[in-house]
Amino acid sequence: SRFDTPLLFHRPSVAQYQVGQNDAAIQTLQTGLELKALDLENKAKYNFTLGLLYKKMGNKEEALKYFKTAEYGSFRNAAQTEYSDISL
């Protein structure tokens, strides 16, 4: 079986998020962003998820920062929508 590095940190962060461990999920994603193996699409995924976490926690400034960074590939439209919703 192939070891899928880009998902190594994303999957656990989603599980942490789902059980309300937001700080742990943020730390997991930030660690994952340091991986050199991440392509731009996966970096966008990590940044988008971080934006959602910060939005959920009420930290609009950090959410906006991560949504702006997530504006790439398949996450472009969703990130722009989230960014617009917060900055209105």
Side-chain angles (χ1 to χ4, degrees):
S1 69
R2 185 173 169 274
F3 186 67
D4 198 353
T5 304
L7 296 177
L8 183 63
F9 292 93
H10 194 267
R11 283 187 181 149
S13 74
V14 171
Q16 291 164 327
Y17 168 79
Q18 289 173 338
V19 296
Q21 296 176 352
N22 297 329
D23 291 334
I26 287 168
Q27 183 62 46
T28 300
L29 287 166
Q30 288 173 336
T31 300
L33 276 172
E34 296 171 10
L35 292 174
K36 296 193 183 336
L38 284 186
D39 59 15
L40 292 175
E41 185 76 17
N42 279 297
K43 283 183 183 178
K45 176 194 271 187
Y46 277 56
N47 283 309
F48 185 77
T49 307
L50 280 161
L52 291 175
L53 279 161
Y54 279 114
K55 180 181 176 184
K56 179 182 178 188
M57 296 169 69
N59 188 335
K60 292 181 180 182
E61 187 175 313
E62 285 296 303
L64 288 171
K65 179 177 94 173
Y66 283 104
F67 287 136
K68 189 72 175 163
T69 308
E71 291 179 4
Y72 180 83
S74 62
F75 290 90
R76 183 178 189 90
N77 290 339
Q80 288 174 343
T81 299
E82 290 290 344
Y83 189 94
S84 295
D85 286 349
I86 292 174
S87 59
L88 290 177

